Amino acid sequence: MEKVYDLAIIGAGPAGMTAAIYAARASLSVVMIERGAPGGQMVNTFEIENYTGFETITGPELSMKMFEHAQAAGAEYAYGNVENVVIAEDGTKVIDCGDHQIHAKTIIIATGTKHRLLNVPGESELSGRGISWCAVCDGAFFRGKKVVVIGGGDSAVEEAIYLAGLVEKVTIVHRRDELRAQKILQKRAFADEKIEFVWDSVVESFEEANGKLGAVKIKNTKTGEISEIEADGAFIYIGLDPITDMIKELGVTDDAGYVKVDHAMMTPVEGVFAAGDVISKELRQVVTAVNDGAIAAQSAFKYIETNLR
């Protein structure tokens, strides 16, 4: 007989791992399913300075602390690239991971988000050959070189500051004439002599040189002027999109692809909950993901106790 877990959590970011801790402590049988390293976007963050209890901690370090805590609480961990989720006739949730399936009474969707693409010429061809979406992962490859950071939000500015400690020069290209990042981050970036800014500009294309990135072609949105910035590396931070392709058939997402939930993190489908960056909400931070995960786990526990015991 196929094992049926009380709860399967798709995704092991801060929301998923917190949900696993709370559910396991409530004596539910729990499995976290993750296709990459535990931590989600958090594992690619150099420093986290706004998570309660830690003045500063690296993303990988906090990810590992949460993962070890979840395992110590009794949650199981399983590698899996979830392709589809269906509801069986008896209400069991069947999670298709391609080469195997996982069955559960309830599920929490905590799949998070992925970096948005610019969809300009040269982006896909030079991905991994100068273009990256993770400064922590790839910044060391550009030590002493020139790089471009595209974007003006928290992630873009945080990573630009990190890169400035490694490279010769960082150029931030932003489509507006002011940054959207928190003021404390803006202050640090403006004070760093290695960071320059190009305002009111968008990327037209990425230009190849000797088999790798050589320059970023940009267009000024006010004047229409085209110019090039010499660069060995480019880091793209223009926003995030929800990872929800695998649950589209459940009909629980909004027009933007984010999962719709109520105050208890319940979706319109019975026994299906969601938490973290993947849900439709205003603020996407580690601390809010942790909050969502705790609520979702408690709601799953109450659902099982009320309907399935």
Side-chain angles (χ1 to χ4, degrees), residues 25-43:
R25 285 174 59 84
S27 299
L28 299 184
S29 57
V30 186
V31 60
M32 295 183 291
I33 308 164
E34 174 59 58
R35 65 179 181 180
Q41 294 289 348
M42 182 170 63
V43 80

Side-chain angles (χ1 to χ4, degrees), residues 23-159:
R25 285 174 59 84
S27 299
L28 299 184
S29 57
V30 186
V31 60
M32 295 183 291
I33 308 164
E34 174 59 58
R35 65 179 181 180
Q41 294 289 348
M42 182 170 63
V43 80
N44 296 326
T45 304
F46 175 57
E47 281 189 331
I48 295 171
E49 298 179 311
N50 56 0
Y51 185 66
T52 310
F54 297 95
E55 287 187 25
T56 181
I57 186 170
T58 69
E61 185 180 1
L62 185 55
S63 298
M64 189 51 60
K65 285 181 179 291
M66 289 186 181
F67 182 60
E68 290 172 349
H69 191 172
Q71 288 196 306
E76 294 183 30
Y77 175 78
Y79 172 80
N81 186 19
V82 177
E83 297 179 0
N84 193 28
V85 177
V86 298
I87 312 296
E89 289 185 5
D90 64 356
T92 299
K93 284 64 181 171
V94 182
I95 301 159
D96 182 7
C97 297
D99 57 351
H100 67 285
Q101 292 182 338
I102 294 173
H103 296 69
K105 298 175 184 176
T106 60
I107 60 172
I108 295 175
I109 303 160
T111 45
T113 55
K114 59 186 176 182
H115 288 289
R116 188 172 298 154
L117 302 178
L118 285 167
N119 293 315
V120 298
E123 183 179 30
S124 60
E125 293 86 350
L126 293 170
S127 175
R129 291 192 289 150
I131 297 178
S132 174
W133 289 261
C134 179
V136 176
C137 310
D138 301 327
F141 294 120
F142 303 98
R143 195 178 298 274
K145 298 181 179 181
K146 298 176 181 178
V147 302
V148 170
V149 171
I150 299 129
D154 285 353
S155 294
V157 178
E158 283 176 346
E159 300 311 292

Side-chain angles (χ1 to χ4, degrees), residues 254-295:
D254 62 16
D255 292 340
Y258 288 97
V259 182
K260 298 176 290 186
V261 296
D262 62 14
H263 68 282
M265 302 297 147
M266 291 189 289
T267 73
V269 177
E270 283 197 12
V272 177
F273 306 85
D277 287 2
V278 76
I279 70 172
S280 178
K281 61 176 182 177
E282 288 296 321
L283 185 61
R284 293 183 172 85
Q285 295 283 299
V286 175
V287 70
T288 60
V290 165
N291 169 76
D292 298 343
I295 294 171

Side-chain angles (χ1 to χ4, degrees), residues 222-255:
K222 292 183 176 178
T223 67
E225 180 185 357
I226 302 292
S227 60
E228 285 191 2
I229 302 172
E230 180 185 346
D232 299 288
F235 295 83
I236 303 171
Y237 298 100
I238 58 166
L240 300 164
D241 291 317
I243 302 172
T244 51
D245 286 346
M246 76 291 291
I247 49 99
K248 285 276 178 70
E249 294 180 15
L250 295 180
V252 297
T253 58
D254 62 16
D255 292 340

Side-chain angles (χ1 to χ4, degrees), residues 139 142-149 156-157 159-173 187-198 229-230:
F142 303 98
R143 195 178 298 274
K145 298 181 179 181
K146 298 176 181 178
V147 302
V148 170
V149 171
V157 178
E159 300 311 292
I161 294 168
Y162 168 73
L163 287 164
L166 298 172
V167 305
E168 176 188 337
K169 178 183 175 182
V170 179
T171 302
I172 294 180
V173 175
K187 184 177 180 181
R188 290 177 190 169
F190 290 138
D192 197 313
E193 294 181 353
K194 286 188 177 181
I195 300 177
E196 295 185 4
F197 297 85
V198 175
I229 302 172
E230 180 185 346

